Amino acid sequence: LTYLQLLESGFFHADPHPGNMLRTPDGRLAILDFGLMTQVTDDQKYGMIEAIAHLLNRDYEEIIQDFVALDFIPPDTDVQELKKELLPALKNVFDQALAGGGARGINFNELAGDLAQITFKFPFKIPPYFALVIRAIGVLEGIALVGNPQFALIDEAFPYLSKRLLTDDAPRLRRALRYMVYGKGATFDVDRLLELLQALQTFVDVRDSGAPAPRQEAQLMNSLPPAPALPAVTGARSRVRRRTGMTVRG
């Protein structure tokens, strides 16, 4: 639900602590208290997806460009000069974060803390919208880790990210998909494409099975207090094609 709000609707609940979540009698999740919300633009949504693609490929030079696109670094900064000092610092931080199982095993809170340390030396700023994103994701990750110490945020979101990359017609996501499969060169990575397709199938299977949530999210929901049943909120667009029910865009 969190990444659907953040990366699809762009209207994001920024205070998702346990007191603001209830489990309905039929097993659905009810969100309460909309006093702290934030909105992200399409450019910011695409920028976050692009940054994840670059992180998965350990492309730290492109991550610096992502920081500019996401308003962490002022646009008038001499990025080429900045890279000389920033790139080694980023490589050190991300290599440590990736050591425990790759990008899909990253602990978001630990990574955010390590990145915060280098912001004092370099011309970083935390955009207001992203301060709330960090707050919300940090709270949710902490709750999930209580139920499952092996929880990994990117791994949990990967099926949805694959669905966006494989089915969204936005030009920036078309380029991000090509980057995921080819990298910066012209070498086709069949293993990465299969990984994306398998993740898409996982997304579709969960959606179509009517299952309330993946295992980690189910553990979280079981710990929440019950609430009266609420009417279902629907409206997700789907494309019917073959077994996935979606049209994969090339």
Side-chain angles (χ1 to χ4, degrees):
L1 178 60
T2 298
Y3 48 79
L4 286 172
Q5 289 181 4
L6 178 61
L7 298 176
E8 193 148 323
S9 73
F11 194 49
F12 186 67
H13 193 297
D15 196 20
H17 60 78
N20 282 343
M21 296 184 286
L22 295 173
R23 176 173 51 87
T24 67
D26 59 352
R28 289 176 290 157
L29 182 63
I31 306 294
L32 309 177
D33 188 356
F34 298 93
L36 188 59
M37 305 289 294
T38 189
Q39 194 158 12
V40 296
T41 66
D42 285 344
D43 280 345
Q44 290 161 347
K45 288 185 283 186
Y46 297 151
M48 285 185 270
I49 294 174
E50 289 166 344
I52 293 171
H54 296 144
L55 184 59
L56 287 166
N57 283 336
R58 301 193 183 213
D59 191 343
Y60 305 142
E61 286 198 27
E62 288 299 325
I63 288 175
I64 294 176
Q65 293 297 149
D66 295 329
F67 283 144
V68 176
L70 291 169
D71 298 326
F72 283 81
I73 297 175
D76 57 352
T77 301
D78 185 343
V79 174
Q80 294 306 316
E81 188 64 28
L82 178 64
K83 283 181 181 179
K84 295 177 182 178
E85 291 189 74
L86 179 56
L87 197 57
L90 277 183
K91 186 177 186 302
N92 181 56
V93 167
F94 283 118
D95 280 350
Q96 290 185 41
L98 294 166
R104 290 173 61 177
I106 280 179
N107 181 295
F108 182 83
N109 275 325
E110 291 178 1
L111 176 60
D114 290 339
L115 285 174
Q117 296 303 311
I118 67 174
T119 62
F120 296 107
K121 184 177 180 182
F122 299 100
F124 274 86
K125 65 174 183 177
I126 303 297
Y129 80 91
F130 205 81
L132 293 176
V133 170
I134 291 173
R135 169 194 169 93
I137 292 179
V139 169
L140 288 171
E141 184 182 55
I143 296 170
L145 286 169
V146 171
N148 175 20
Q150 303 304 313
F151 176 84
L153 180 70
I154 294 180
D155 189 51
E156 193 71 7
F158 194 65
Y160 170 77
L161 293 171
S162 298
K163 174 254 184 187
R164 285 297 300 275
L165 289 172
L166 288 165
T167 65
D168 198 305
D169 291 326
R172 285 179 65 177
L173 296 189
R174 298 294 89 228
R175 292 193 293 270
L177 173 60
R178 190 188 191 288
Y179 174 88
M180 285 286 287
V181 176
Y182 286 93
K184 285 187 172 180
T187 303
F188 178 66
D189 188 339
V190 65
D191 291 333
R192 177 55 59 81
L193 178 60
L194 289 173
E195 185 180 30
L196 288 166
L197 290 170
Q198 289 166 357
L200 172 63
Q201 187 65 59
T202 298
F203 176 89
V204 173
D205 288 344
V206 171
R207 183 202 63 186
D208 292 348
S209 69
R215 177 169 52 89
Q216 290 93 338
E217 192 171 331
Q219 291 171 340
L220 166 63
M221 290 180 66
N222 287 337
S223 69
L224 298 174
L230 297 177
V233 178
T234 60
R237 184 182 64 178
S238 62
R239 300 183 179 96
V240 179
R241 184 172 179 85
R242 298 185 181 176
R243 348 183 6 210
T244 64
M246 294 182 178
T247 297
V248 175
R249 302 293 184 183

